[in-house]
Amino acid sequence: MKQALTLPRLKAMKSQKKLIAMLTAYDHPSAMLSEEAGVDVILVGDSLGNVVLGYDTTVPVTLDDMIYHTRAVVRGAPHTFIVTDMPFATYRLGPEGTLRNAARIMREGGAHAVKLEGGSELSEEIRLLTSAGIPVMGHIGLTPQSVYQIGGYKVQGKSNEEAEKLLQDAKALEQAGAFAIVLELVTEELATAVTHSIGIPTIGIGAGRGCDGQVLVYHDLLRYGSGIRDKKFVRSYANVGDTIRSAITAYVDEVKTKAFPEEKHVFPLDNISVQNISTKLYGGEGK
Ligand code: KIV
């Protein structure tokens, strides 16, 4: 039986140059299928807001949303390492609030670790959480929770100053105790340089081929949704949205034309059921 990754094994994957496949999941079937397919790490991402809950950004996602979905994912993938995003404004609240919220994700949700967006400014929070036994994954580059501050979803680290800051942030996260770092929308050269300069794994999304692993959003990988936009850094391996729409269209059509249900789908009233029903309805008088 598959065993969930442990932090030492995840770290060893970097030194052994074994690439890490991480994928988001938000519910029981997406988690179960990801585990069956051999995903190393499942991320219950706050991209939940965009792809499941229908928001434009991740900002409206709440801690309760994350816990609710994490519980379903944990039930679906009991043998996979599960990381859950701390959503917008549930950390950087001072030590007490941050610790209380992270602990809820672990205790009530059942996640094995949490992920926080931000660089060196999070060092104190990460030290606090890791010293309380809560593993932390970092996330730098494009950090969607700060989209209003950044001014859009654009590639990060293009200027020398930005690149230097990102490198320093990665080192600060490692020093503070993060066990891995997501690099989102970063040039390939910078992501590769970051990967070589730290001892913990980097997991890239839109960060090129030099990272220690990759992460994609479940709905992007499957084109699961309607009108999913093409993104340069995504490869879709199926078109589940189109498949589902065609299936539902066929169902609607068959209901309206009486092609469904057919004879094989119905329960005929045989003698035994007549007897059961009349016993229930008339106390046996109808025999
Ligand atoms: O929320 C999410 O899905 C993420 C990934 C894009 C890394 O943070």
Side-chain angles (χ1 to χ4, degrees), residues 22 24 26 43 45-47 85 115 117 139 182 184 205 215 217:
M22 180 158 98
T24 68
Y26 312 96
L43 171 66
D46 61 355
S47 50
D85 264 330
K115 176 163 81 58
E117 292 183 9
H139 181 158
V182 167
E184 179 165 358
I205 174 161
V215 54
V217 167

Coordinates of all heavy atoms in Angstrom, one line a residue, residues 22 24 26 43 45-47 85 115 117 139 182 184 205 215 217, ligand 1:
M22 N 3.2 17.6 -7.5 CA 2.1 18.0 -6.6 C 0.9 18.5 -7.4 O 1.1 18.9 -8.6 CB 2.7 19.2 -5.8 CG 1.7 19.8 -4.8 SD 2.5 20.7 -3.4 CE 2.4 22.4 -4.0
T24 N -3.3 20.1 -7.0 CA -4.3 20.5 -6.0 C -5.5 19.6 -6.1 O -5.7 18.9 -7.1 CB -4.9 22.0 -6.4 OG1 -5.6 21.9 -7.6 CG2 -3.8 23.0 -6.5
Y26 N -9.7 19.3 -4.1 CA -10.6 20.1 -3.2 C -11.7 19.2 -2.6 O -12.5 19.7 -1.8 CB -11.2 21.2 -4.1 CG -10.2 22.0 -4.9 CD1 -10.0 21.7 -6.2 CD2 -9.4 23.0 -4.3 CE1 -9.0 22.4 -6.9 CE2 -8.5 23.7 -5.0 CZ -8.3 23.4 -6.3 OH -7.3 24.0 -7.0
L43 N -2.2 19.5 -2.7 CA -2.3 20.8 -2.1 C -3.8 21.2 -2.1 O -4.5 21.2 -3.2 CB -1.6 21.8 -2.9 CG -1.8 23.3 -2.6 CD1 -1.3 23.6 -1.2 CD2 -1.2 24.2 -3.6
G45 N -5.5 23.9 -2.3 CA -5.1 25.3 -2.5 C -6.3 26.2 -2.3 O -7.5 25.8 -2.5
D46 N -6.0 27.5 -2.0 CA -7.1 28.4 -1.9 C -7.6 28.8 -3.3 O -8.5 29.6 -3.5 CB -6.8 29.6 -1.0 CG -5.6 30.4 -1.5 OD1 -5.0 30.0 -2.5 OD2 -5.3 31.5 -0.9
S47 N -6.9 28.3 -4.4 CA -7.5 28.4 -5.7 C -8.9 27.8 -5.8 O -9.6 28.0 -6.7 CB -6.5 27.7 -6.7 OG -6.3 26.4 -6.3
D85 N -3.6 25.4 2.2 CA -3.3 26.8 2.2 C -4.0 27.5 3.4 O -5.2 27.3 3.6 CB -3.9 27.5 0.9 CG -2.9 27.7 -0.2 OD1 -1.7 27.8 0.1 OD2 -3.3 27.6 -1.4
K115 N 0.4 26.0 4.0 CA 1.2 26.8 3.1 C 0.8 28.3 3.3 O -0.4 28.6 3.4 CB 0.9 26.4 1.6 CG 1.7 27.3 0.6 CD 1.7 26.7 -0.8 CE 0.5 26.8 -1.6 NZ 0.1 28.2 -1.9
E117 N 1.6 32.3 1.9 CA 2.2 33.1 0.8 C 3.0 34.3 1.4 O 2.5 35.1 2.2 CB 1.1 33.7 0.0 CG 0.3 32.6 -0.8 CD -0.8 33.2 -1.7 OE1 -0.8 34.5 -1.9 OE2 -1.5 32.4 -2.3
H139 N 5.6 30.1 -0.2 CA 5.0 30.4 -1.5 C 5.5 31.8 -1.9 O 5.0 32.8 -1.3 CB 3.5 30.2 -1.5 CG 2.8 30.5 -2.8 ND1 1.6 29.9 -3.1 CD2 3.2 31.1 -3.9 CE1 1.2 30.3 -4.3 NE2 2.2 31.0 -4.9
V182 N 6.9 26.9 -2.9 CA 6.3 27.0 -4.2 C 6.8 28.3 -4.8 O 6.8 29.4 -4.2 CB 4.7 27.1 -4.1 CG1 4.1 27.5 -5.4 CG2 4.2 25.7 -3.7
E184 N 5.9 30.6 -7.9 CA 4.8 30.8 -8.9 C 5.1 32.0 -9.9 O 5.5 33.1 -9.4 CB 3.5 31.1 -8.2 CG 2.3 31.3 -9.2 CD 0.9 31.2 -8.6 OE1 0.8 30.9 -7.4 OE2 0.0 31.4 -9.3
I205 N 5.3 26.5 -10.4 CA 4.1 26.6 -11.3 C 4.3 27.8 -12.2 O 4.5 28.9 -11.6 CB 2.8 26.6 -10.5 CG1 1.6 26.9 -11.4 CG2 2.8 27.6 -9.4 CD1 0.2 26.5 -10.9
V215 N 3.7 21.9 -9.7 CA 2.3 21.8 -9.2 C 1.4 22.4 -10.3 O 1.8 23.4 -10.9 CB 2.2 22.5 -7.8 CG1 2.7 24.0 -7.9 CG2 0.7 22.5 -7.4
V217 N -3.0 23.2 -11.0 CA -4.3 23.2 -10.4 C -5.2 22.1 -11.2 O -5.1 22.0 -12.4 CB -5.0 24.6 -10.6 CG1 -6.5 24.6 -10.4 CG2 -4.3 25.6 -9.7
Ligands
KIV1 O1 -4.0 27.8 -4.4 C1 -3.3 27.1 -5.2 O2 -3.8 26.3 -5.9 C2 -1.8 27.4 -5.2 C3 -1.1 26.8 -6.3 C4 -1.3 27.6 -7.5 C5 0.4 26.6 -6.0 O3 -1.3 28.0 -4.3

